[in-house]
Amino acid sequence: MAINNYLDLIASKENFHQRFTPHPLIIKLTNNLQKNSTILDLGSGEGNDSIYLAKKGFKVTAVDFSEKCIQKTKQLAEQNNINMKTINSKIESFLEYHNYFDAIICINSLQFINPKKIQETLDLIKSRTNQKGFNVISSFIAQNEIIKRNAKRNEMYLFDKGELKKLYQNWNIIFYEEKLGDWESHGGTPHKHYIVNLIAQKNAPKQDDFQELFG
Ligand SMILES: C[S@@+](CC[C@H](N)C(=O)[O-])C[C@H]1O[C@@H](n2cnc3c(N)ncnc32)[C@H](O)[C@@H]1O
C-alpha cells in the first residue's frame, strides 16, 4: 500500500494518535518563544501541538496532506474557539511558497518524506525559518542498515545516528537527544522506535548562553 493511502487509513480511525498533550519538545519551545510568534506545524496530524500552541496565542499554521486530519483539526479549533490556519497540502509543496515563520515544527512527520526529497525538504525548512527562529524535530533513527533499507523501500526516511545533529551544525543546537521511545501501537502491534529529538535556533548566540533558558 502506498504510504499516502496508509496514512489516510490510519487517520480515518478515531483518535488515531492517541496523544492529547503537546509533545515535550513543544513545551520546551514555548517557554522561550516570544508572544505573537508565527509557527508552522508540518505534518500536524490531528493538531494536538497546533491547538496547544494556538491556545497559547501563537499564530499557527497547520499543514497535513490528510484531509481527515485537517478536518479534525479544524473541528477542534472551532470547538475551542481558536483562530488558526489549517492547510491541506503536502509538506514539500507548501514549502515551495515563500512563507516565513519564527518556528517550524516537525513532530513525527519527517520519516514520511521520500528519501530522495529529505535533503531538499530540510533545506527548505531551514530557509523558511526567520533569523533567530527555531526548528523543532522529532523523528526516527535507523538502528541498522536493514531497518534503513526497509524504510527506504516504503519511501520513508530514517536518520542515521548523529545525522540530524550534523545537518544542523551551522545552527545553535539548544536541545539534542537520541533514545529509545516509549511503547506505542497506534492500532497495531506494540513497538518502540529509536528516536531523535532536536531544537535548534538559526543564527543565534552560542549554546552556553541558552543553557539557563532551556535547562
Ligand atoms: C505520525 S503523524 C504525527 C502527527 C502530529 N505531528 C503529532 O505528533 O501528533 C504524521 C502526520 O504527518 C502527515 N504527513 C506525512 N507525510 C506528509 C507529507 N509529505 N505532507 C504532509 N503531511 C504528511 C500524516 O498525514 C500524519 O498526519
Side-chain angles (χ1 to χ4, degrees), residues 53 56 60 90 101 111 135 137 139 145 155 159 168 181 187:
L53 290 163
K56 286 205 159 276
V60 178
K90 278 191 93 171
F101 298 86
Q111 64 268 27
N135 282 179
I137 296 173
S139 200
E145 272 311 306
E155 301 197 336
F159 289 105
Y168 275 85

PDB file of all heavy atoms in Angstrom, residues 53 56 60 90 101 111 135 137 139 145 155 159 168 181 187:
ATOM      1  N   LEU A  53      -0.529  25.241  20.812  1.00  0.00           N
ATOM      2  CA  LEU A  53       0.214  26.471  20.522  1.00  0.00           C
ATOM      3  C   LEU A  53      -0.729  27.647  20.242  1.00  0.00           C
ATOM      4  O   LEU A  53      -0.500  28.766  20.704  1.00  0.00           O
ATOM      5  CB  LEU A  53       1.140  26.240  19.319  1.00  0.00           C
ATOM      6  CG  LEU A  53       2.325  25.298  19.588  1.00  0.00           C
ATOM      7  CD1 LEU A  53       2.940  24.788  18.284  1.00  0.00           C
ATOM      8  CD2 LEU A  53       3.381  25.996  20.431  1.00  0.00           C
ATOM      9  N   LYS A  56      -2.187  29.118  23.219  1.00  0.00           N
ATOM     10  CA  LYS A  56      -1.238  29.969  23.943  1.00  0.00           C
ATOM     11  C   LYS A  56      -1.080  31.338  23.284  1.00  0.00           C
ATOM     12  O   LYS A  56      -0.314  32.181  23.750  1.00  0.00           O
ATOM     13  CB  LYS A  56       0.127  29.284  24.023  1.00  0.00           C
ATOM     14  CG  LYS A  56       0.154  28.134  25.008  1.00  0.00           C
ATOM     15  CD  LYS A  56       1.567  27.887  25.513  1.00  0.00           C
ATOM     16  CE  LYS A  56       1.596  27.136  26.805  1.00  0.00           C
ATOM     17  NZ  LYS A  56       1.428  27.914  28.000  1.00  0.00           N
ATOM     18  N   VAL A  60      -0.559  30.154  14.462  1.00  0.00           N
ATOM     19  CA  VAL A  60      -0.207  28.809  13.997  1.00  0.00           C
ATOM     20  C   VAL A  60      -0.778  28.495  12.613  1.00  0.00           C
ATOM     21  O   VAL A  60      -1.920  28.819  12.310  1.00  0.00           O
ATOM     22  CB  VAL A  60      -0.741  27.761  15.009  1.00  0.00           C
ATOM     23  CG1 VAL A  60      -0.446  26.347  14.539  1.00  0.00           C
ATOM     24  CG2 VAL A  60      -0.133  27.997  16.386  1.00  0.00           C
ATOM     25  N   LYS A  90       0.707  18.800   0.851  1.00  0.00           N
ATOM     26  CA  LYS A  90       1.944  18.065   1.127  1.00  0.00           C
ATOM     27  C   LYS A  90       2.949  19.052   1.719  1.00  0.00           C
ATOM     28  O   LYS A  90       2.989  20.221   1.307  1.00  0.00           O
ATOM     29  CB  LYS A  90       2.528  17.507  -0.182  1.00  0.00           C
ATOM     30  CG  LYS A  90       1.900  16.218  -0.642  1.00  0.00           C
ATOM     31  CD  LYS A  90       2.699  15.592  -1.761  1.00  0.00           C
ATOM     32  CE  LYS A  90       3.704  14.593  -1.179  1.00  0.00           C
ATOM     33  NZ  LYS A  90       4.379  13.785  -2.198  1.00  0.00           N
ATOM     34  N   PHE A 101       8.517  31.749   8.975  1.00  0.00           N
ATOM     35  CA  PHE A 101       7.964  31.517  10.322  1.00  0.00           C
ATOM     36  C   PHE A 101       9.048  31.676  11.394  1.00  0.00           C
ATOM     37  O   PHE A 101      10.232  31.474  11.128  1.00  0.00           O
ATOM     38  CB  PHE A 101       7.371  30.102  10.395  1.00  0.00           C
ATOM     39  CG  PHE A 101       6.238  29.895   9.433  1.00  0.00           C
ATOM     40  CD1 PHE A 101       6.492  29.501   8.117  1.00  0.00           C
ATOM     41  CD2 PHE A 101       4.931  30.148   9.811  1.00  0.00           C
ATOM     42  CE1 PHE A 101       5.448  29.348   7.208  1.00  0.00           C
ATOM     43  CE2 PHE A 101       3.884  29.990   8.913  1.00  0.00           C
ATOM     44  CZ  PHE A 101       4.136  29.590   7.610  1.00  0.00           C
ATOM     45  N   GLN A 111       9.783  11.357   8.877  1.00  0.00           N
ATOM     46  CA  GLN A 111      10.072   9.983   8.438  1.00  0.00           C
ATOM     47  C   GLN A 111       9.228   9.587   7.227  1.00  0.00           C
ATOM     48  O   GLN A 111       9.551   8.630   6.537  1.00  0.00           O
ATOM     49  CB  GLN A 111       9.876   8.968   9.582  1.00  0.00           C
ATOM     50  CG  GLN A 111       8.477   8.816  10.116  1.00  0.00           C
ATOM     51  CD  GLN A 111       8.212   9.742  11.302  1.00  0.00           C
ATOM     52  OE1 GLN A 111       8.823  10.792  11.425  1.00  0.00           O
ATOM     53  NE2 GLN A 111       7.322   9.345  12.177  1.00  0.00           N
ATOM     54  N   ASN A 135      13.846  25.525  14.704  1.00  0.00           N
ATOM     55  CA  ASN A 135      13.328  24.283  14.113  1.00  0.00           C
ATOM     56  C   ASN A 135      13.231  23.258  15.232  1.00  0.00           C
ATOM     57  O   ASN A 135      14.165  23.128  16.039  1.00  0.00           O
ATOM     58  CB  ASN A 135      14.272  23.740  13.022  1.00  0.00           C
ATOM     59  CG  ASN A 135      14.141  24.503  11.706  1.00  0.00           C
ATOM     60  OD1 ASN A 135      14.840  24.203  10.757  1.00  0.00           O
ATOM     61  ND2 ASN A 135      13.257  25.500  11.643  1.00  0.00           N
ATOM     62  N   ILE A 137      12.359  19.253  15.781  1.00  0.00           N
ATOM     63  CA  ILE A 137      12.157  17.998  15.042  1.00  0.00           C
ATOM     64  C   ILE A 137      12.171  16.803  15.989  1.00  0.00           C
ATOM     65  O   ILE A 137      13.060  16.683  16.837  1.00  0.00           O
ATOM     66  CB  ILE A 137      13.266  17.815  13.966  1.00  0.00           C
ATOM     67  CG1 ILE A 137      13.157  18.927  12.917  1.00  0.00           C
ATOM     68  CG2 ILE A 137      13.171  16.432  13.293  1.00  0.00           C
ATOM     69  CD1 ILE A 137      14.283  18.948  11.899  1.00  0.00           C
ATOM     70  N   SER A 139      11.947  12.713  15.154  1.00  0.00           N
ATOM     71  CA  SER A 139      11.801  11.754  14.056  1.00  0.00           C
ATOM     72  C   SER A 139      12.453  10.428  14.430  1.00  0.00           C
ATOM     73  O   SER A 139      12.852  10.242  15.578  1.00  0.00           O
ATOM     74  CB  SER A 139      12.402  12.349  12.773  1.00  0.00           C
ATOM     75  OG  SER A 139      11.894  11.675  11.644  1.00  0.00           O
ATOM     76  N   GLU A 145      21.293  -1.091   9.145  1.00  0.00           N
ATOM     77  CA  GLU A 145      21.120  -0.923   7.691  1.00  0.00           C
ATOM     78  C   GLU A 145      19.853  -1.610   7.177  1.00  0.00           C
ATOM     79  O   GLU A 145      19.207  -1.116   6.256  1.00  0.00           O
ATOM     80  CB  GLU A 145      22.345  -1.477   6.951  1.00  0.00           C
ATOM     81  CG  GLU A 145      23.456  -0.455   6.785  1.00  0.00           C
ATOM     82  CD  GLU A 145      22.979   0.889   6.230  1.00  0.00           C
ATOM     83  OE1 GLU A 145      22.333   0.918   5.169  1.00  0.00           O
ATOM     84  OE2 GLU A 145      23.233   1.922   6.885  1.00  0.00           O
ATOM     85  N   GLU A 155       9.529   4.133   0.881  1.00  0.00           N
ATOM     86  CA  GLU A 155       9.681   5.576   0.617  1.00  0.00           C
ATOM     87  C   GLU A 155       9.631   6.387   1.900  1.00  0.00           C
ATOM     88  O   GLU A 155       9.059   7.492   1.952  1.00  0.00           O
ATOM     89  CB  GLU A 155       8.640   6.066  -0.388  1.00  0.00           C
ATOM     90  CG  GLU A 155       8.749   5.336  -1.718  1.00  0.00           C
ATOM     91  CD  GLU A 155       8.039   6.023  -2.855  1.00  0.00           C
ATOM     92  OE1 GLU A 155       7.110   6.796  -2.579  1.00  0.00           O
ATOM     93  OE2 GLU A 155       8.435   5.804  -4.009  1.00  0.00           O
ATOM     94  N   PHE A 159      16.714   8.734   9.889  1.00  0.00           N
ATOM     95  CA  PHE A 159      18.039   9.332  10.035  1.00  0.00           C
ATOM     96  C   PHE A 159      19.029   8.296  10.545  1.00  0.00           C
ATOM     97  O   PHE A 159      18.652   7.326  11.207  1.00  0.00           O
ATOM     98  CB  PHE A 159      17.976  10.503  11.030  1.00  0.00           C
ATOM     99  CG  PHE A 159      17.249  11.697  10.486  1.00  0.00           C
ATOM    100  CD1 PHE A 159      15.952  11.997  10.912  1.00  0.00           C
ATOM    101  CD2 PHE A 159      17.853  12.529   9.553  1.00  0.00           C
ATOM    102  CE1 PHE A 159      15.274  13.093  10.404  1.00  0.00           C
ATOM    103  CE2 PHE A 159      17.177  13.631   9.039  1.00  0.00           C
ATOM    104  CZ  PHE A 159      15.888  13.906   9.471  1.00  0.00           C
ATOM    105  N   TYR A 168      22.476  20.160  11.325  1.00  0.00           N
ATOM    106  CA  TYR A 168      22.208  21.456  11.963  1.00  0.00           C
ATOM    107  C   TYR A 168      23.474  22.044  12.574  1.00  0.00           C
ATOM    108  O   TYR A 168      23.405  22.882  13.461  1.00  0.00           O
ATOM    109  CB  TYR A 168      21.093  21.324  13.008  1.00  0.00           C
ATOM    110  CG  TYR A 168      19.715  21.440  12.376  1.00  0.00           C
ATOM    111  CD1 TYR A 168      19.106  20.329  11.813  1.00  0.00           C
ATOM    112  CD2 TYR A 168      19.061  22.663  12.287  1.00  0.00           C
ATOM    113  CE1 TYR A 168      17.863  20.428  11.201  1.00  0.00           C
ATOM    114  CE2 TYR A 168      17.822  22.767  11.675  1.00  0.00           C
ATOM    115  CZ  TYR A 168      17.225  21.654  11.131  1.00  0.00           C
ATOM    116  OH  TYR A 168      15.991  21.772  10.521  1.00  0.00           O
ATOM    117  N   GLY A 181      12.235   5.222  22.235  1.00  0.00           N
ATOM    118  CA  GLY A 181      10.979   5.848  22.659  1.00  0.00           C
ATOM    119  C   GLY A 181      10.127   4.924  23.516  1.00  0.00           C
ATOM    120  O   GLY A 181      10.525   3.803  23.824  1.00  0.00           O
ATOM    121  N   GLY A 187      -2.950   1.331  17.045  1.00  0.00           N
ATOM    122  CA  GLY A 187      -3.918   0.378  16.483  1.00  0.00           C
ATOM    123  C   GLY A 187      -3.313  -0.955  16.041  1.00  0.00           C
ATOM    124  O   GLY A 187      -4.041  -1.890  15.756  1.00  0.00           O
TER     125      GLY A 187
END
